[in-house]
Amino acid sequence: GGGSLLTVPLLITLGIPPIVANGTNRLGVLAANLTSAWHFRAEGVVRLRDGLRVFFPVAIGGTLGALIVSELSNASFKRLFAILMIALLVPTLRKPKALTTPESVPKPWSPVTTFLVFFGIGLYGGAIQAGVGIVLLFALAHAGYDLVRANAIKVMVVGALTACALPVFIVRGQMDWLYGAVLAVGFAAGGIA
């Protein structure tokens, strides 16, 4: 988790404009999550329908988030990403609470709360991506899923979210295909492992 916190700054360091680095990173994220979802499904951990109740709000939010962030200037995106990197450092470094027993899983949210939370996560994920998996795991646990199922659903939902956001960056010319292909190969290998 949190790979985009490394890859987006790396792409910027390599000379890719920040907003293009954000779009380019999505090819790797899509490859990682699709291969991970395939692996979880092949192992029988999760079925596609398990993520349906969170897919739609995440997909709607993700598309809208991508549309909004693709309008930012490179300087504005770079500032926003820097602030978010610092904010995400704390939850990334914290040891997560175990959600392995029925008693440790929080009481599920109402359907309206679930929709709004996952719409917000989609909005953020479509715009920034970095750290969305960490936030999504937390939300899935509060939506009533145990840690293993939450992780499996997370990769399916992030894959779907990315598939919705990616065309926005492609259409707006915010994609470096060579670096994106390299990231996709590396991320896919990580998704299989």
Side-chain angles (χ1 to χ4, degrees):
S4 296
L5 293 169
L6 299 173
T7 54
V8 172
L10 177 63
L11 289 168
I12 294 169
T13 301
L14 292 171
I16 306 290
I19 203 76
V20 175
N22 185 39
T24 300
N25 184 58
R26 306 309 172 100
L27 281 177
V29 170
L30 182 63
N33 285 281
L34 290 179
T35 55
S36 293
W38 174 81
H39 185 69
F40 275 121
R41 189 174 179 279
E43 294 292 323
V45 174
V46 71
R47 299 171 309 249
L48 292 176
R49 69 174 176 244
D50 291 341
L52 285 180
R53 75 177 167 135
V54 299
F55 168 74
F56 293 108
V58 168
I60 294 165
T63 304
L64 183 59
L67 286 167
I68 292 168
V69 81
S70 67
E71 293 293 324
L72 292 179
S73 69
N74 282 310
S76 295
F77 177 79
K78 197 172 181 180
R79 272 191 303 276
L80 176 64
F81 195 81
I83 291 166
L84 290 170
M85 279 185 66
I86 293 166
L88 287 168
L89 189 60
V90 173
T92 302
L93 296 177
R94 280 184 57 201
K95 183 178 179 181
K97 292 181 181 178
L99 299 173
T100 55
T101 64
E103 302 82 38
S104 66
V105 176
K107 183 181 178 206
W109 290 320
S110 72
V112 171
T113 300
T114 299
F115 183 90
L116 292 173
V117 167
F118 287 99
F119 173 79
I121 291 170
L123 191 65
Y124 172 77
I128 303 298
Q129 181 65 48
V132 75
I134 296 162
V135 174
L136 193 53
L137 266 178
F138 174 77
L140 285 165
H142 278 76
Y145 296 101
D146 64 78
L147 187 57
V148 173
R149 187 165 301 270
N151 197 45
I153 292 170
K154 174 200 75 155
V155 297
M156 287 189 333
V157 171
V158 172
L161 157 70
T162 306
C164 291
L166 186 60
V168 172
F169 298 108
I170 292 170
V171 168
R172 301 237 169 136
Q174 297 170 345
M175 176 70 59
D176 184 299
W177 290 100
L178 177 60
Y179 283 112
V182 171
L183 284 175
V185 170
F187 274 46
I192 291 170

